[in-house]
Amino acid sequence: MLVASLSGCLRFTGAETPDAAVTADSAADAAGDSVSDTTADTMAGADLGIDQPKLDDLALDLPPADLAPAADLQAEATPPDLRPDLPGSISNGLDLARVFGAASYSPQKSIVIDTDAGTVDGTPWATFHVVNQGTGTPAIGVFVFGKLTIPAGIKVRFEGSRAAALLVASLELRGLLDLSGGHGADQAPGPGGDVGGTPSIPDGDGAAGGKAGTRNGSVNDSGGGGGGHGSAGGAGGDTSSNIGGAGGAASGSATLTPLRGGGGGGAGAPGGSTTHSAGGGGGGALQIAALLDVHVYAGGGINAGGAGGAAGIPHPNGAGGGGGAGGGAGGAILIEAPAVTIVGTLAANGGGGGGAPHFAEVGTTGDKGELSAAPAQGGLAGTTEGAGGAGAAGTVKAQKGATGANNGGGGGGGLGRIVLRSQTLDDAQATLSGVVHRGSL
């Protein structure tokens, strides 16, 4: 029999829906093949006509909750003999069985999910836990929900050093999940991504980080290379006497096992200011594993874009400015569910490289990877100096920073990765910008 609870229940979706839910007290009486007289009376004489409901006859019906409920109000776990079969193997050690009994959630305003603090909109989430992936890879901060609904116009921004994962019964996404780099500082990565180059550590972080620009003499400063991930980052711009930093190579697993974000961009050469411009942080990493389905509606999407590289830093007296920094690479989006429908946009684009200054003419920071298939533009440069290269997007590769007479532009960041694993996949109307891998579940 079915078990009804205060905050969640299973319900019939077929034609033989009972008039009233079976109470928890009567569930024990219903263990056999027959229904007790008392139970039958409470059901107003409805004849179920079945001994055990099938997955197709059941739907999780968990009402939204603003926060994870207290233990005495949490949805009861579905009895093992009524649980639908779990999907096939889920990547990176995530356990979908944790979804049973989890609270549903639908934010009514834009919020932040922090993978280090384990918080949702600043409040500790009861089902948060951490999965370690091993040395040299980021841990995963896992948040568990029943049905997760993100309404149109709502943005959920992820932050923290750990990669992010959502374990859900089902997901309806009409708003935005944002894992892009560059929040708070150009070199800041999205969760699970790599840090851009800084004055103290000029090369971009990670195995696919872009290399810093170099200085030759008193005036020639080349651009930093863009970070790599699913595809290589663009090289930094040269000068008349030295070459730009190398772009990060394509790297990582095609199936996103382990789960990690994009490589950081290399810093621009310091120029007479003695300070490197900061490379763009790599886009973050998100895994979504659903018991039933994932639906990304038109207008909804997931952005794991890399940050733009910073502009070269001008010298205080107007001479001897530095090279532009490389953009961060796009991050990672991994979706696993029996049924996946995507009409919206999934993007893991590289950030644009920073532009170089010329005397009093300052350069500008490159654009970050956006939720589209359009490349992030490189930053503008001063006269005769190098502009930043565009980041990779769609079928466009990351561009090399432009050569300058004295200062080179930063290279664009490479593409990130998108992996879709399902039994039934419909992405014919989707916009997908990244290195895409489709597989079975």
Side-chain angles (χ1 to χ4, degrees), residues 212-310:
T214 58
R215 179 144 224 249
N216 183 17
S218 60
V219 293
N220 292 328
D221 298 279
S222 63
H229 188 198
S231 68
D238 305 330
T239 74
S240 57
S241 62
N242 57 325
I243 61 174
S251 68
S253 165
T255 58
L256 292 177
T257 51
L259 180 69
R260 67 177 309 144
S273 68
T274 71
T275 301
H276 294 266
S277 55
L286 173 65
Q287 180 174 353
I288 300 172
L291 181 66
L292 299 174
D293 59 359
V294 171
H295 196 140
V296 181
Y297 291 83
I302 305 174
N303 184 17

Side-chain angles (χ1 to χ4, degrees), residues 52-73:
Q52 168 127 354
K54 299 179 182 178
L55 175 59
D56 291 341
D57 298 322
L58 297 175
L60 289 171
D61 190 15
L62 300 174
D66 290 337
L67 299 172
D72 59 342
L73 294 180

Side-chain angles (χ1 to χ4, degrees), residues 36-54:
S36 70
D37 292 339
T38 302
T39 304
D41 290 341
T42 64
M43 296 180 64
D47 182 7
L48 294 179
I50 57 171
D51 292 325
Q52 168 127 354
K54 299 179 182 178

Side-chain angles (χ1 to χ4, degrees), residues 1-440:
M1 301 301 297
L2 300 181
V3 179
S5 69
L6 180 61
S7 62
C9 64
L10 287 169
R11 60 178 172 83
F12 285 91
T13 58
E16 296 185 0
T17 303
D19 295 334
V22 182
T23 66
D25 292 336
S26 65
D29 296 333
D33 294 335
S34 62
V35 179
S36 70
D37 292 339
T38 302
T39 304
D41 290 341
T42 64
M43 296 180 64
D47 182 7
L48 294 179
I50 57 171
D51 292 325
Q52 168 127 354
K54 299 179 182 178
L55 175 59
D56 291 341
D57 298 322
L58 297 175
L60 289 171
D61 190 15
L62 300 174
D66 290 337
L67 299 172
D72 59 342
L73 294 180
Q74 286 192 4
E76 293 179 9
T78 309
D81 60 339
L82 295 181
R83 292 178 179 176
D85 292 336
L86 294 173
S89 177
I90 298 300
S91 302
N92 300 315
L94 271 61
D95 181 10
L96 263 179
R98 289 177 178 264
V99 166
F100 295 108
S104 292
Y105 184 64
S106 179
Q108 301 305 302
K109 62 174 183 169
S110 294
I111 63 170
V112 173
I113 292 180
D114 192 318
T115 64
D116 290 339
T119 56
V120 175
D121 196 25
T123 300
W125 194 252
T127 52
F128 172 77
H129 60 283
V130 177
V131 172
N132 291 311
Q133 300 189 94
T135 304
T137 55
I140 306 174
V142 186
F143 297 83
V144 186
F145 303 89
K147 181 176 181 179
L148 178 60
T149 303
I150 310 299
I154 299 297
K155 180 168 77 171
V156 178
R157 181 164 61 84
F158 292 81
E159 59 183 34
S161 61
R162 297 179 180 130
L166 301 175
L167 282 181
V168 299
S170 65
L171 171 65
E172 292 184 0
L173 178 58
R174 291 177 170 85
L176 171 66
L177 302 181
D178 183 11
L179 298 107
S180 58
H183 293 285
D186 295 321
Q187 70 269 20
D194 292 320
V195 178
T198 63
S200 59
I201 306 177
D203 289 342
D205 194 23
K211 300 300 182 182
T214 58
R215 179 144 224 249
N216 183 17
S218 60
V219 293
N220 292 328
D221 298 279
S222 63
H229 188 198
S231 68
D238 305 330
T239 74
S240 57
S241 62
N242 57 325
I243 61 174
S251 68
S253 165
T255 58
L256 292 177
T257 51
L259 180 69
R260 67 177 309 144
S273 68
T274 71
T275 301
H276 294 266
S277 55
L286 173 65
Q287 180 174 353
I288 300 172
L291 181 66
L292 299 174
D293 59 359
V294 171
H295 196 140
V296 181
Y297 291 83
I302 305 174
N303 184 17
I313 298 176
H315 191 275
N317 66 10
I333 302 170
L334 168 58
I335 298 177
E336 299 175 305
V340 175
T341 301
I342 303 172
V343 183
T345 302
L346 308 182
N349 299 325
H358 177 75
F359 293 97
E361 297 178 46
V362 298
T364 61
T365 296
D367 293 342
K368 73 173 186 177
E370 296 290 355
L371 186 69
S372 71
Q377 295 303 302
L380 301 176
T383 304
T384 73
E385 309 302 353
T395 59
V396 178
K397 296 181 179 180
Q399 302 299 299
K400 175 182 172 69
T403 298
N406 298 304
N407 306 313
L415 281 172
R417 296 186 182 275
I418 299 171
V419 175
L420 306 174
R421 296 183 63 224
S422 67
Q423 297 166 5
T424 303
L425 172 63
D426 181 1
D427 64 353
Q429 300 180 64
T431 298
L432 304 177
S433 188
V435 177
V436 180
H437 174 84
R438 298 174 177 86
S440 60

